[in-house]
Amino acid sequence: MKQPRGLCCLLVISLISVSCGFTPRSVRSWDRPSTATLVGASPTAPCPWLPSPVALPTPLPTPISDAFDQLQMLLPAWLKGNSTAPGLYVAVTYGQQVVWEAGFGSKNLSDPGVPPDADTIFRIGSGTKMFAVFMLYQLWERGLLALDDPVTKFAPAFSIRPPYNSEASIDVTFKQLACHLAGLPREAPCGFPCNLTTDEAFEYVADMVQISPPWTMPSYSNLGFALLGNILAEFVAEQRFEDYVGDNILEPLGMLSSGFEFTDDVISRMAVGYNPDGSVAELIDLGWERPAGQMYSSGADLAGLVMALNSASQNVDNAMLSAESTTEMLQSLFENPDGATSIGTPWESVQVSGAVCRRKGGNING
C-alpha cells in the first residue's frame, strides 16, 4: 500500500530506579556476613529481576524535560523535510499519565494553520490487528477457546495446503495466526474492498499454499488476521467483529473516538490523507479484511490504550483484560536471527538501549 501522508505517533518512556538487596540462602556460620554488610536486604522483601517504574517528580527531571525540548525542535524540522507527512501528533505516556504531547504541521492542507491534536482522528491501518488479538485473549480468558486450538475446531471448513504436500492439509492455530507464524501468504485472495464472506474466503484459501510450515519463520499476513478476526467473530463470539470490538474493548476502555465506520462526524474530525499526486486519498472500506486494517482512532484514545496495557507491569487489571492475560499477550514468541528484534501477538519488538520497545505500526492509503 502507498505510504500515508497523515501520521499518528505514540512513544512510551519508562524511567526505572529501585534498590534490591541480596540475602544468601545458605551460608556457613563462619562465612556469614554481619547484618551491617547486608545493607537494605530483607529475607521477606521481594527482589525483582528488573527494577520497577517509580513515580515521576514534579517538575520533571532535567534530562526528561530537556529531551522534550529537543523533540519540540526536531519534529517540526523532520516534518518539513518529509514530503509524505503534512501533519504529526505525538503523545508520550508514563505509567497512567500523558507527560508530554504536541501536534505539528497541518491536520488538513486546506487549512494549514491547524495542527492535529489529541482528538484528531487518524486511520491506524494495521494497528487494527491489535484489536483482533485483544479479542482472542478475552475469549481465551473467558474459557471459550485455547490459544493453541486449531481454528478447524470451530471452523471445520477452513483448510490450506502445506508447502511440501499439495494433497494434504495442516492445522493452523489461533496463536499462530496472531503472531504471523502460521506460514500464510501476505494477502487475502481479493482486492479492496474485499467483497467475500468467510465461507467464500475459505473456498479460495483452500486452493492456496502455505509459504512455510507453522512456527518456522515470521511471515507478515493480512490474510492471517482477516481469518483470525472473522473466525473468532462468527464461530466463537457469534457476532460481527466490529460489534464485538466496540462492545468488549472500545467501550470498556473509553475509546470513544475509535471505530470502523466513517460517519460524517468521524470524517469531520479526521486528519486528511493525500495521494502522492496531492489528491485527497479515498477512505477505502476493506470489507472482509477489516480485522487486518480498517480502524481509526485518536491520539488520546491510543495513549489511553498504552496506559491500560502498561498497568499490567504493576499487576493491575485493565478494563479489557486481567494483568496476567495482558502480560501473557505482551510476550515475544519468536526471536529473529539479529538477536535484537522479535515477534509477538502482534507486537513487533526491538531492543533499544537495553530495554524492549513493543510496537505495532500501521500503513494504509492516504
Side-chain angles (χ1 to χ4, degrees), residues 130-131 133-135 137-139 141-142 244-245 248-250 252-253 255 305 308-309 317-323 325-326 329 347:
M130 295 187 294
F131 295 84
V133 171
F134 300 155
M135 180 181 186
Y137 276 81
Q138 278 189 340
L139 296 173
E141 189 173 72
R142 295 168 187 173
Y244 181 94
V245 170
N248 295 273
I249 300 172
L250 300 181
L253 289 175
M255 297 181 67
L305 174 61
L309 295 176
D317 299 343
N318 58 56
M320 174 177 61
L321 289 169
S322 68
S325 295
T326 302
M329 180 186 65
W347 315 107

Side-chain angles (χ1 to χ4, degrees), residues 154-207:
F154 299 89
F158 169 79
S159 67
I160 187 168
R161 295 176 180 178
Y164 306 122
N165 186 345
S166 62
E167 301 303 320
S169 183
I170 192 168
D171 284 335
V172 171
T173 70
F174 289 112
K175 182 185 282 188
Q176 291 165 0
L177 291 177
C179 62
H180 299 293
L181 281 163
L184 297 186
R186 181 180 178 95
E187 300 298 346
C190 52
F192 298 113
C194 184
N195 295 317
L196 296 178
T197 65
T198 298
D199 288 338
E200 290 170 341
F202 286 168
E203 293 179 12
Y204 284 104
V205 174
D207 290 328

